[in-house]
Amino acid sequence: MILIDGKKEAAELRERLKKEVSELKSKYNKVPGLTVILIGDMAPSQIYVRMKEKAANEAGLKSEVVRYPDSIEEKKVLDKINELNKDDSVSGILVQLPLPKHIDKQKVIEAILPSKDVDGFHPMNVGNLSSGYESLVPCTPLGCYLLIKKIEPNLNGKKAVIVGRSNLNGKPMTQLLLKENCTVTITHSKTKDLKSECLQGDIIVAAVGMPELIKGDWVKKDAIVIDVGINKTDKGIIGDVAFDEVSKVAKALTPVPGGVGPMTIACLLKNTIKCFKRSQKN
Ligand code: NAP
């Protein structure tokens, strides 16, 4: 069984991106800029933002974090996004989710210029992705896609089963694999017989948030299994896939932690650089 080392893949990708940033700096005399807006003091968001900021700095990007208290008015956040939209030194804008209840998430997402939407959540980017056009793709599914392609470069005709249909993970993952000519089944909490659906998959991507939902006897021999789940349990952080059981049947499997997570951050840098390059005139 191939243990897909997301940490190593992400480190290699970040190294390549760092080199690219240095080449861009020589060519344009400026570097891509990432601005993250962080509202409130929720511990996981603070940790994610710190990791993103560190990764951006290490790659040589210009990185900025705008921090607001939980009580910030929605209008102030929208005004800030507007200001960043107009700022040429800002290539990518990310608003860390979740947001306090009084702030309309969709309004905030739609306020970001689609060309600076490094999370790929703006309806314009979602629409482009689902139409098979060039777009900014959400970082976690993009990371999963790169890991799958590393194991299996030709996905033509493969059966892919996506577990979970969120806008963040399951839906964009479906679009990415459709574009690669996979036959994709997307499953969710109302799916009648999840085990038999999973058993069809040459590729399974689990993005649910339920510890060890996907069992060993749900997985076809030699399937590629990507575990997006992050679940805090008494045993520590574990994924949506029963790792010990599934590792006995799968051809390749991502661990949790150390699988998809590190790729998410690397893909954020990749998207920021993509925004920068698209914004240059030559
Ligand atoms: P989400 O928005 O809560 O969506 C979960 C999806 O799972 C929903 O579509 C839900 O179906 C489906 N589901 C729930 N119970 C199910 C069941 N018993 N059988 C089949 N499907 C079921 O979650 P998310 O934001 O996509 O995140 C999913 C997991 O990925 C979480 O553990 C999250 O922490 C993790 N995550 C990891 C990364 C990373 O970088 N590694 C990034 C983002 C998220 P319905 O639509 O029917 O409700």
Side-chain angles (χ1 to χ4, degrees):
M1 203 267 312
I2 304 168
L3 182 67
I4 305 175
D5 190 344
K7 236 173 151 174
K8 177 168 157 274
E9 292 300 328
E12 286 172 11
L13 175 55
R14 281 168 62 174
E15 208 42 54
R16 289 197 298 278
L17 295 171
K18 186 176 174 179
K19 196 161 162 265
E20 191 175 359
V21 171
S22 135
E23 286 161 7
L24 290 169
K25 191 176 177 183
S26 303
K27 182 169 178 187
Y28 296 108
N29 203 24
K30 55 185 176 182
V31 294
L34 172 66
T35 298
V36 176
I37 297 181
L38 172 61
I39 303 171
D41 52 10
M42 273 179 55
S45 295
Q46 300 272 353
I47 293 168
Y48 289 138
V49 168
R50 228 175 293 133
M51 283 159 64
K52 288 168 184 176
E53 192 182 16
K54 183 170 175 275
N57 284 328
E58 280 173 10
L61 303 188
K62 178 178 153 288
S63 147
E64 184 198 14
V65 179
V66 179
R67 288 184 167 78
Y68 290 125
D70 244 329
S71 56
I72 186 82
E73 284 168 45
E74 181 184 272
K75 187 177 177 309
K76 289 220 166 103
V77 179
L78 295 173
D79 287 348
K80 183 68 191 176
I81 293 173
N82 248 324
E83 183 192 314
L84 296 170
N85 281 341
K86 291 183 200 131
D87 183 342
D88 283 343
S89 74
V90 176
S91 321
I93 304 167
L94 180 156
V95 179
Q96 184 65 40
L97 302 178
L99 298 175
K101 282 203 175 64
H102 67 279
I103 298 182
D104 182 336
K105 178 176 92 175
Q106 200 55 25
K107 238 188 203 174
V108 166
I109 288 173
E110 290 183 23
I112 298 171
L113 208 59
S115 58
K116 295 192 178 192
D117 169 36
V118 280
D119 256 342
F121 294 160
H122 191 285
M124 180 90 92
N125 283 314
V126 175
N128 279 337
L129 178 64
S130 67
S131 305
Y133 300 141
E134 174 58 27
S135 70
L136 286 158
V137 177
C139 303
T140 302
L142 180 57
C144 295
Y145 167 81
L146 295 176
L147 292 177
I148 296 168
K149 286 284 279 184
K150 188 81 196 262
I151 299 293
E152 185 62 67
N154 182 2
L155 298 175
N156 242 327
K158 299 280 182 205
K159 260 217 97 179
V161 178
I162 313 298
V163 189
R165 57 175 161 182
S166 69
N167 291 336
L168 177 66
N169 288 309
K171 284 180 190 153
M173 195 67 239
T174 300
Q175 300 302 343
L176 286 169
L177 293 176
L178 259 184
K179 217 172 163 184
E180 289 288 325
N181 299 320
C182 288
T183 302
V184 187
T185 301
I186 182 157
T187 65
H188 44 77
S189 69
K190 308 292 183 295
T191 296
K192 284 255 160 64
D193 185 351
L194 188 59
K195 175 181 174 179
S196 68
E197 296 296 345
C198 286
L199 274 167
Q200 305 290 314
D202 300 308
I203 298 161
I204 298 174
V205 181
V208 178
M210 284 181 75
E212 302 187 328
L213 173 70
I214 313 293
K215 314 287 183 229
D217 63 351
W218 291 28
V219 175
K220 189 161 116 176
K221 191 172 169 341
D222 287 338
I224 298 171
V225 182
I226 305 292
D227 190 352
V228 181
I230 299 177
N231 306 291
K232 256 195 189 162
T233 71
D234 299 342
K235 292 189 264 173
I237 302 278
I238 61 172
D240 290 344
V241 175
F243 185 88
D244 290 345
E245 293 177 17
V246 173
S247 61
K248 294 193 177 85
V249 276
K251 171 166 127 186
L253 171 62
T254 56
V256 176
V260 172
M263 286 300 283
T264 299
I265 303 236
C267 286
L268 172 64
L269 308 179
K270 188 174 165 65
N271 277 349
T272 307
I273 294 168
K274 182 173 176 170
C275 292
F276 175 84
K277 287 198 288 188
R278 282 165 149 195
S279 70
Q280 301 310 306
K281 305 284 178 283
N282 50 46

